[in-house]
Amino acid sequence: MSRVQLTGADLLIDGRCTRSDLTLDGRTIAALGGRLDTTAEVIDCSGLVISPGFIDLQCNGAVGLDFTTDAMSIGPVADALPRFGVTSFLPTVVTSPAARRRAAIEAVLELRRRDPGSGADAIGLHFEGPMISPHHLGAHVPAHVAPLDPGEIDEWIASEAVALVTLAPESPGALDAIARLARGGIVVSGGHTAMTPDDLAAARSAGLSYSTHLYNAMAPFNHRSPGPIGAVLADDTVVAGIICDGIHVDPTAVRMAWNVLGPTRMSLVSDASPALGMPHGRMHLAGFEIIHDDTGVRTVDGVLAGSALALDQAVRNLIAFTGCTLADALATVTSTAADLLGLIDRGRLVVGMRADLTILDPDANLVATIVAGNLAHGRL
């Protein structure tokens, strides 16, 4: 696509769906509204909703591929993700040896050298671990749980390929690691944790700003011991990720979190495993054999191990579970994610930003995905 004007759609602008036209010039949003552009190819999008491209902050793999096991699979998965409305994502590497993380850094740097538009943009890595609680592992290998080495942190910062790190703030040495990461421009998240409200407060002061998959792989809430769930919900400065598949978190618990967090503090993530885009069956994730069936994606011992959740389905689920508006649901996978990562070139429909678009019908069913001005999925 070169210069194209999309007409008659409802555009997600400033938290509202507003009827207007949108002009793309190559990889950039060139204009909003205005007269019919006679220099552009005009495409009638009446009856459709145009959102900024979806941003997934936690994706472990898809289409049978797993980033932790094979870092070179990031490219093929990037090519598949526009099928689910995703235009940018954080490939997630779970608790594993340092060599796996280094391989992922090299893979992302290699992807940055290819032409944009052929798939979703791997904007940086999400290292989920290895500094997590041994008591809240989820589907992480306990033998690989370890403190963060200051030298490795410096490597991550210098590479500019790491965007997000999940750790347990109550771990010995965690506050120093948080401060070091945050000073280096890496977003820090609390997850796989038993942190108390006091732990969270100390971590916030050190630079933590996110909570990884709220409710999952963390100590439970109790009214006398609120733990990480209560700590996050009570702190109005923390953004929280939610796996909104109805399996990881009951719809009532999603609704409870939504009533507290709203569209600016809830970040929908897929937590996708190799099962995304695949039929039911057995596959592998980071050293575990996993089973994908009607109960979700689980290890052979029944522990949840990522999901088969498409991000566009997560948006539809949020609307169904909470009754929120489409505009508010879309914020959780666009502007909220972009703001958390400090991205200034995507996440909103603004002149000069990347031409990353997710186009939907009024019921949030995916119609097309445009990455850097190129039609990556669907038809218009």
Side-chain angles (χ1 to χ4, degrees):
M1 300 172 74
S2 53
R3 191 168 180 87
V4 177
Q5 188 172 45
L6 307 176
T7 63
D10 288 333
L11 309 185
L12 181 65
I13 301 174
D14 294 331
R16 298 180 180 179
C17 290
T18 303
R19 185 70 48 84
S20 188
D21 299 336
L22 175 67
T23 303
L24 310 181
D25 191 354
R27 301 172 180 175
T28 305
I29 296 174
L32 297 172
R35 298 180 179 179
L36 189 67
D37 189 338
T38 58
T39 68
E41 175 189 0
V42 177
I43 300 175
D44 184 4
C45 292
S46 298
L48 300 179
V49 176
I50 299 180
S51 166
F54 291 178
I55 303 170
D56 191 351
L57 301 182
Q58 187 170 5
C59 177
N60 308 287
V63 295
L65 302 171
D66 160 36
F67 303 144
T68 302
T69 302
D70 178 13
M72 296 308 295
S73 67
I74 294 174
V77 171
D79 291 336
L81 288 179
R83 290 164 42 191
F84 312 106
V86 176
T87 61
S88 301
F89 73 112
L90 299 186
T92 300
V93 175
V94 301
T95 300
S96 55
R100 299 284 179 90
R101 294 187 289 276
R102 292 192 180 98
I105 288 172
E106 289 302 315
V108 165
L109 294 176
E110 176 62 30
L111 273 179
R112 288 180 179 173
R113 291 189 278 268
R114 80 178 189 179
D115 289 337
S118 57
D121 187 18
I123 48 179
L125 289 159
H126 174 186
F127 288 151
E128 189 181 357
M131 184 185 271
I132 61 173
S133 168
H135 307 295
H136 299 281
L137 290 168
H140 288 228
V141 178
H144 299 320
V145 173
L148 286 180
D149 177 78
E152 187 176 9
I153 292 175
D154 290 343
E155 289 177 14
W156 298 350
I157 293 168
S159 75
E160 299 184 349
V162 182
L164 175 64
V165 172
T166 294
L167 51 73
E170 73 275 18
S171 301
L175 295 182
D176 287 341
I178 292 167
R180 196 180 198 102
L181 289 161
R183 285 196 303 269
I186 294 174
V187 176
V188 187
S189 180
H192 292 265
T193 178
M195 65 180 171
T196 66
D198 287 345
D199 291 329
L200 177 61
R204 285 289 296 119
S205 295
L208 182 143
S209 56
Y210 190 54
S211 173
T212 295
H213 48 50
L214 185 69
Y215 297 113
N216 295 111
M218 56 180 58
F221 175 83
N222 180 284
H223 65 290
R224 291 193 180 93
S225 179
I229 297 168
V232 169
L233 293 179
D235 185 324
D236 60 10
T237 66
V238 179
V239 177
I242 290 276
I243 309 167
C244 194
D245 58 359
I247 296 171
H248 281 78
V249 184
D250 185 88
T252 298
V254 173
R255 189 161 60 251
M256 179 177 74
W258 177 258
N259 288 340
V260 175
L261 300 170
T264 61
R265 289 185 57 213
M266 181 177 285
S267 160
L268 294 188
V269 299
S270 70
D271 196 29
S273 73
L276 175 60
M278 297 291 285
H280 288 176
R282 291 176 178 254
M283 51 203 78
H284 290 84
L285 172 67
F288 288 96
E289 183 179 18
I290 57 175
I291 301 169
H292 174 209
D293 59 23
D294 288 336
T295 70
V297 183
R298 300 176 185 270
T299 68
V300 294
D301 296 323
V303 177
L304 284 168
S307 82
L309 177 66
L311 204 56
D312 60 318
Q313 182 63 57
V315 169
R316 293 191 292 274
N317 288 346
L318 183 66
I319 295 169
F321 295 169
T322 69
C324 72
T325 65
L326 174 58
D328 279 351
L330 291 173
T332 69
V333 293
T334 58
S335 55
T336 298
D339 289 348
L340 178 75
L341 295 182
L343 303 175
I344 61 173
D345 65 341
R346 68 196 78 196
R348 289 178 170 83
L349 299 182
V350 174
V351 172
M353 287 204 175
R354 269 176 61 108
D356 286 352
L357 310 175
T358 301
I359 302 176
L360 311 158
D361 70 15
D363 296 320
N365 296 302
L366 184 63
V367 173
T369 307
I370 294 173
V371 180
N374 294 313
L375 183 63
H377 171 73
R379 299 179 63 186
L380 288 174

